[in-house]
Amino acid sequence: MSPLRSGRRWRATVVIAVAAAAMGLGTALTAPATAAELAPAAVQPEVTQESSAAPQAATAGRQAPSDVGTAAEWDPPAHLVQPLNEVWQHVEQTYPDLYGFRNYGWDQLMANGGGHLNYCVRWESNAPVSAQLRDQVHRVLQEQSDKWYDQLRGFDGFPQARVQINVVGWATANRSTFQWDDNSVDLYIGNLDAGGAPQCAPECGRFFNQNGSYPRCPGGVARHYDQSLWLTDGFGGGAGGDWGQRIGREYFVGAINQPNIHILLHEIGHTLGLDDFYDWTPTGVPNFLMKAGSASQVTEFDVWMARDFWRHMKYRYNV
């Protein structure tokens, strides 16, 4: 059982149809989702919902390193120092196995040598997908991921100038949904999880094979997938974790030409380990992407939170 099975693996953003003032945001309220709503395949981890109760001990397993970064590597703007310290203190107090868990997005990236992540697209819809739409999805997933990973370029040992996003598979219930004949991606047809949603083969998924070995994956390591982009008809809001991101199919396709698909960006933040802010706000920073409903793009504060997570985890990669 993965260290985070009983912890904060799941995040969800519940959309309520209200106007978010002049910002025009699509999310106005966030709330934890249930395992039954989100769990891929047959895996049903326990879910710890957000609570204002006293936090549990959070550093079971591996403890934090004693030398986290140097002044030259960690130099956030002065006005962000206090809120960043507050956020990390909150993370250490509330994540059940912060330093022991080994499947953050950072771990997946570094297990691949630091240069790429592989994706499966779970198309939970009967809407047809043309080759053009397929390729748009691939392009947009790269572009939205860049908005996070490009901010790590050159920071504190981060090893890559760019993280390549490779879509290696698509899953759906019926072959006729995919209107292309080429073999550019692996197809998984009629392979349904316990909830009836199409999935790429668990034998090829890192969520199910966290030792990095894929002996039962037909394509082996080269065709494994680290995360899924799960697009579901009628799904309101989003969910994110080490397994990937889930958002509404209609929302995603409708936003495919927008520069910031903010629900997807928010859920990628969760894959990187970043928290939600349901019931508190760090000092002096009321508006940022991970506080759902308050920003529509990755902000300076989001970037520094991601950098902070990286600098606290990079010791395990010897960089």
Side-chain angles (χ1 to χ4, degrees):
M1 180 173 286
S2 170
L4 207 54
R5 295 274 169 134
S6 60
R8 295 170 169 246
R9 167 157 269 162
W10 309 100
R11 296 289 185 272
T13 304
V14 179
V15 173
I16 291 182
V18 298
M23 301 193 68
L25 302 180
T27 53
L29 178 71
T30 60
T34 66
E37 289 173 324
L38 302 180
V43 176
Q44 295 289 337
E46 299 175 12
V47 179
T48 300
Q49 294 195 350
E50 301 290 344
S51 171
S52 58
Q56 65 187 90
T59 54
R62 187 70 176 266
Q63 296 297 308
S66 58
D67 55 341
V68 180
T70 68
E73 297 161 339
W74 178 247
D75 188 22
H79 69 284
L80 297 183
V81 171
Q82 179 179 342
L84 287 167
N85 287 340
E86 292 171 356
V87 168
W88 194 255
Q89 182 180 31
H90 187 265
V91 166
E92 289 196 315
Q93 290 175 341
T94 58
Y95 280 35
D97 196 15
L98 175 62
Y99 295 105
F101 183 64
R102 295 279 172 158
N103 201 38
Y104 300 113
W106 314 108
D107 297 307
Q108 300 166 13
L109 179 64
M110 298 305 290
N112 294 338
H116 72 278
L117 290 167
N118 289 353
Y119 263 84
C120 157
V121 177
R122 303 179 64 178
W123 188 261
E124 192 178 359
S125 172
N126 291 322
V129 184
S130 66
Q132 180 182 11
L133 178 56
R134 175 201 65 192
D135 293 345
Q136 282 183 295
V137 171
H138 296 185
R139 171 182 58 79
V140 166
L141 191 53
Q142 177 72 66
E143 291 173 351
Q144 299 301 301
S145 298
D146 285 347
K147 293 178 184 295
W148 282 108
Y149 293 109
D150 281 0
Q151 300 298 328
L152 274 294
R153 183 183 299 134
F155 175 75
D156 201 4
F158 192 73
Q160 292 297 324
R162 193 191 194 201
V163 173
Q164 179 68 37
I165 303 299
N166 303 319
V167 178
V168 297
W170 278 68
T172 195
N174 302 298
R175 177 62 181 90
S176 60
T177 301
F178 294 157
Q179 300 181 340
W180 67 81
D181 297 320
D182 62 61
N183 60 358
S184 60
V185 294
D186 299 331
L187 300 184
Y188 298 90
I189 308 299
N191 186 348
L192 306 181
D193 69 13
Q199 61 177 347
C200 292
E203 294 83 359
C204 299
R206 178 176 168 88
F207 180 90
F208 309 96
N209 303 273
Q210 294 184 24
N211 63 0
S213 176
Y214 303 89
R216 298 174 58 200
C217 180
V221 174
R223 306 303 292 178
H224 87 281
Y225 62 96
D226 302 295
Q227 300 171 33
S228 292
L229 175 62
W230 187 356
L231 302 174
T232 301
D233 274 355
F235 190 75
D242 61 321
W243 48 270
Q245 304 84 41
R246 186 184 188 186
I247 60 177
R249 193 271 308 175
E250 300 93 334
Y251 162 77
F252 179 84
V253 173
I256 205 164
N257 291 316
Q258 295 180 8
N260 294 285
I261 303 179
H262 71 274
I263 297 179
L264 176 58
L265 289 170
H266 178 99
E267 305 311 337
I268 292 174
H270 288 321
T271 302
L272 294 175
L274 303 187
D275 207 357
D276 274 316
F277 293 80
Y278 298 122
D279 55 4
W280 76 287
T281 301
T283 300
V285 280
N287 302 315
F288 55 100
L289 184 71
M290 297 312 296
K291 185 175 177 63
S294 69
S296 60
Q297 63 188 22
V298 177
T299 69
E300 180 184 41
F301 188 62
D302 294 297
V303 168
W304 280 101
M305 284 196 297
R307 290 173 175 175
D308 204 9
F309 216 100
W310 164 259
R311 77 180 183 117
H312 280 92
M313 294 298 155
K314 72 185 185 74
Y315 70 93
R316 59 175 67 169
Y317 315 124
N318 297 316
V319 296

